[in-house]
Each structure stands twice: as structure tokens, then as C-alpha cells.
Amino acid sequence: MDVIVLGGGLMGTASAYFLARRGARVTLIERNRIGAGATVASFGNIRRTGRHLTQLPLAHRSLRLWGEAEKMLGRDVEFRATGHIRLIFDEDSLADMRAYAEAARPWGLDLEELGPPEIRARFPGLGPEAIAASFSPQDGSGNPRLIAPAFAEAARKLGAEIAEATEVETIRHTGSSFLVASSKGAFAAECLLNTAGAWGARIAAQFGEAVPLDARGPQMGVTEPLPHRILPVVGIWTRNKDHGAYLRQVERGNIVFGGAAERAAVNLDPGHAAADPTRLPTQLRAVARLLPAIAQATVIRTWSGCEGYVRDMLPIMGRSATTPRLFHAFGFSGHGFQLGPGVGDAMAELIMTDRCETPLDDFRVDRFARAV
């Protein structure tokens, strides 16, 4: 079977790899460079905590693959299962955490509740005013700069064609195949997989499938290297988006942080997202609530990236509702990094076997039409 994959971020490259591993003849088309879009702009968080419950089966599938990534791809993509802690500063957020933990348990996610003495003993320096925390020991982080190129190279070794810097001009469905005209020639295949991220809704619209998606850019930053003392990824349970910061410390000592800053609207033509330096002081105050020591650190870089946010914050994933052999996997709404390997594996299974062991019905492309 021939498959064209549109989009060379984590979803596209992982799909290309798992499709090629199942014997498909794959062509991946990327308008820029592999992994240069939302993937490289990601925080690198590999977390299941706080996800919509219907995403947890996919998240569990993906976590298993993150654990196998180095052996599978032949290189270290810096996945570290250092745990994920979410700090709590008020009683309402504590109630929210406990309700989520109870609801998530039947879905296979067990969260450990920590009190102030345990936080101080196990994670000194974090959230000195926190009244509690949740901890998920199997989660962690990975390197957004490494993962998509690693999947692309592994797919190439299995025979996939990787076409970078290739602008798609037109897409036609002839009934038996898809014809893609591009700046580097024409491509044809029996199947088309749309993993075009924030541009995915445009492709879906060409086939009569409307998706309410907004393109937005998060604000991220990183500090100078500091002594390495923080193992887990750190987040917060809060109803106040102004407090929704998160951070992690990489092995080289730098602290990567994000959140607590409004995501800016991005024009898809050309799709460039930029950080706003005027938002940095407010963002750092929120981060300092989690880690007071960051107030003494120097921020050496800030950045953003173009992400696609669907109205209900759930991805578009699965078969097209209008066009045979068209598939979608886009709109991961700023929390797709952890899901990437699982998305690729699940889409390859669906395309090659016409079934998927992971439930995807809640992510159907036609769910908004059905709601109307």
C-alpha cells in the first residue's frame, strides 16, 4: 500500500515510521524542515496527568513507545521517566486534583498525593507554599529537537521517502488514489494521511470536513545552566490560567519554562509565531511560585511556535467522514508531544489493518457536524 503523509512534525514522522515498519510504501511531504514547526517549539512534557480521560488509552500506548524509543530509533531522544509533579496552592485545586485522580484510576492512571512534608523532603526548593501535590512517577520529558528527526531518519532507513522544503500546491482525489502536486513534482498514493498540524483544518476543508481550529503560539523560555537539582517535570493544578506555569530542568542544567502567558493568535500565512517580551515578567512570577530560585536566574532565550487548537481541545484523529482512504491526525491543541509516538503507531494500525486497538471515536473529524 502507498501512503502520502502531509506534515513532518512528530505526528507525521512517527506515522511514516510505523507505516513503513508495517510494510507500507510511504512518502512524507513537509513544507519546511522536519520537526521545525510546533514539535520543536514544544516544552517536551511527557505527561498523562490532567489529560481528558478519553485520551488516556492513547497516552498509555504512547508512553510505552517512549520507553522503547532509544532502542527502536537507534539514538537517544532524551526520554527520561523522572516523574511529573503538579503543585497545589488552594483547596479548590486540591478538590479538582482528587476528583481527577478518582476519575482517572479506572482508565489506568494512578496519581500519588503528596502532603507538604513529602514535597519538602522529596523535592526541596519546589513550591514552598504548596499545600499538596500530585505525582506520576512514570511520566517525564523528552527532547523536542531530536524526536521528529529521529523518527524521520528511522523511516527513511525502512524505505520511506522524506521530501522536505516541498510546498503542496494541489490535492486531488481520483476515486482510487490521491494526487498531490507540489513544488518538487507530483506524488500519488492510495491513501493520504493529514498530519499538517495547524494547517490540518485547511486540508480537511478541501474534502468537505469543517473543523473549528485556531492557530496560536505559546510562549516558552529557557534560563542559563544552573546546578542540576530538579528531576521531575513541574506543573500546577489551578483554575486560574494566569498561574498555569510549568518547568523542567534539562541535564545540562538549563530550566525550560512555559505557561502563564496568553497564547497569541498566529496567521497561517506564513505561520510564524513570535514570543512577546512584555509578557515575560508576569510569566516568570508565575514560574517563581513553583520554583522561587528561578528569580535569580538569567533567561537566555524565548520562543514560540504555531500550534492548532480545536474548539473542544481534543484532536482530530481517524478516518475521514467524506473520503475513502483519507485519514487525519492533527489539532492536538498544545498537548500532543507526549501522544506523538502513540498517534503514529495507532494511525499506522488503522490505515494498514482497518482497525485500531486504541479507541479513537471521541476524536472523529465529523463530531462537530454531528453535534449540530
Side-chain angles (χ1 to χ4, degrees), residues 64-239:
R64 290 194 298 271
L65 293 167
W66 275 108
E68 300 167 7
E70 183 172 357
K71 180 179 179 181
M72 184 170 61
L73 302 178
R75 62 183 294 187
D76 180 14
V77 294
E78 297 183 7
F79 168 63
R80 303 290 185 265
T82 54
H84 179 89
I85 184 172
R86 274 197 170 187
L87 299 167
I88 301 166
F89 294 90
D90 60 82
E91 293 295 336
D92 286 344
S93 298
L94 178 57
D96 290 345
M97 184 277 287
R98 287 173 172 169
Y100 180 83
E102 183 68 23
R105 193 170 294 114
W107 293 80
L109 176 62
D110 290 315
L111 295 180
E112 180 181 357
E113 182 177 328
L114 307 180
E118 295 168 290
I119 299 171
R120 313 293 178 262
R122 293 170 61 176
F123 308 106
L126 294 182
E129 298 176 0
I131 64 170
S134 68
F135 185 62
S136 178
Q138 295 176 315
D139 293 328
S141 63
N143 191 325
R145 293 182 172 274
L146 300 179
I147 187 64
F151 267 120
E153 182 57 29
R156 185 182 284 113
K157 289 179 179 177
L158 291 174
E161 179 182 358
I162 309 296
E164 295 182 270
T166 303
E167 194 77 36
V168 171
E169 296 167 351
T170 62
I171 305 171
R172 289 196 304 118
H173 182 237
T174 67
S176 60
S177 65
F178 292 88
L179 302 177
V180 177
S182 81
S183 59
K184 292 190 176 178
F187 302 90
E190 300 167 53
C191 299
L192 182 71
L193 173 56
N194 170 18
T195 59
W199 290 265
R202 287 186 171 183
I203 294 172
Q206 294 183 42
F207 296 93
E209 300 183 298
V211 176
L213 180 146
D214 294 319
R216 298 192 175 275
Q219 179 147 314
M220 314 295 299
V222 64
T223 72
E224 63 186 320
L226 302 169
H228 190 268
R229 293 173 180 165
I230 305 168
L231 283 179
V233 175
V234 185
I236 182 174
W237 288 96
T238 181
R239 299 177 185 179

Side-chain angles (χ1 to χ4, degrees), residues 303-322:
W303 68 92
S304 185
C306 184
E307 298 176 332
Y309 290 80
V310 181
R311 180 195 299 160
D312 61 5
M313 297 296 285
L314 293 176
I316 305 299
M317 190 173 168
R319 298 179 185 87
S320 165
T322 64

